[in-house]
């Protein structure tokens, strides 16, 4: 089956080199999304002489056509997994807990996805906002196996909904305060009328 581990694959060492190179991202702390290619899974059905570098190159060619659509297909098929430059060690460990023995290779995102800078897209996903519940949801969103454009769209929508909910709550509070002030004025007016009536 496609998910089976290919034992003693000569391409494993080359794939491990890609993972080792990924630690550079961890040191820089530059927040960007990454893809982890499951080399073991991707190798099924391919010529045995194809190296990990050649497989990565083939995936890159596919991604160049339409990165968001192609990456979504790879993620949905379990050929790739989400990772990021700031959490790479953790992301690799998480995948290997589920798929022990599988070799992985790091694939960088291009500078632009759907004509938008990938830094801008990723920032929309990971930036903190004033609503704690939105930050919690965005943390889950960031780790999901979906492409970065989808994540950014959802993150922006979450912020919009939170902002609208806050504005609506403030509007209701303002209306309530105005109503209470109106009732207070009426009560004061009635009290004055009663005092005037008592004097008569």
């Amino acid at each position: 089956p496609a998910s089976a581990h290919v034992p003693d694959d000569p391409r494993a060492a080359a794939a491990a080199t890609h993972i080792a190179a990924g630690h550079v991202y961890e040191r820089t702390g530059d927040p960007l999304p990454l893809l982890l290619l499951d080399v073991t899974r991707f190798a099924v059905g391919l010529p045995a002489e194809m190296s990990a570098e050649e497989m990565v190159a083939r995936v890159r060619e596919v991604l160049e056509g339409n990165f968001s659509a192609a990456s979504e297909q790879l993620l949905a098929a379990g050929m790739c997994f989400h990772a990021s430059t700031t959490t790479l060690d953790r992301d690799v460990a998480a995948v290997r807990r589920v798929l022990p023995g599988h070799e992985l290779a790091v694939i960088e995102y291009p500078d632009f996805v759907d004509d938008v800078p990938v830094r801008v897209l990723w920032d929309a996903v990971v930036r903190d906002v004033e609503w704690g519940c939105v930050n919690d949801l965005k943390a889950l969103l960031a780790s999901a196996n979906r492409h970065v454009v989808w994540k950014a769209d959802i993150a922006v929508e979450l912020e919009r909904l939170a902002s609208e909910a806050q504005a609506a709550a403030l509007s209701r509070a303002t209306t309530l305060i105005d109503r209470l002030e109106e009732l207070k004025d009426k009560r004061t007016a009635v009290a004055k009328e009663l005092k005037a009536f008592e004097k008569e």
Side-chain angles (χ1 to χ4, degrees), residues 20-34 84-89 106 108 119:
H23 291 282
V24 174
Y25 305 127
E26 191 77 22
R27 287 198 296 272
T28 63
D30 198 16
L32 288 171
L34 299 168
S84 79
T85 55
T86 53
T87 60
L88 183 59
D89 285 340
V106 174
E108 298 174 8
R119 291 177 184 275

Side-chain angles (χ1 to χ4, degrees), residues 35 63-72 107-110 113 147:
L35 292 176
L63 291 169
E64 283 175 3
N66 185 334
F67 194 93
S68 58
S71 62
E72 182 70 1
I107 296 180
E108 298 174 8
Y109 274 71
V113 176
H147 66 86

Side-chain angles (χ1 to χ4, degrees), residues 23 30 33 36 38 71-72 105 109 125 132-133 136-137 141 147 159-160 169 171 173-174 177 179 186:
H23 291 282
D30 198 16
L36 289 176
D38 186 338
S71 62
E72 182 70 1
Y109 274 71
V125 178
C133 59
D136 291 342
L137 289 171
L141 181 66
H147 66 86
E159 291 181 17
R160 185 188 68 80
S171 177
T174 301
I177 290 171
R179 179 60 177 158
K186 286 182 177 179

Side-chain angles (χ1 to χ4, degrees), residues 37-61:
L37 174 66
D38 186 338
V39 175
T40 303
R41 231 173 225 185
F42 195 77
V44 174
L46 295 177
E49 63 273 13
M50 181 177 284
S51 67
E53 288 87 349
E54 289 172 322
M55 282 187 277
V56 170
R58 177 174 290 192
V59 171
R60 287 185 185 279
E61 288 176 6

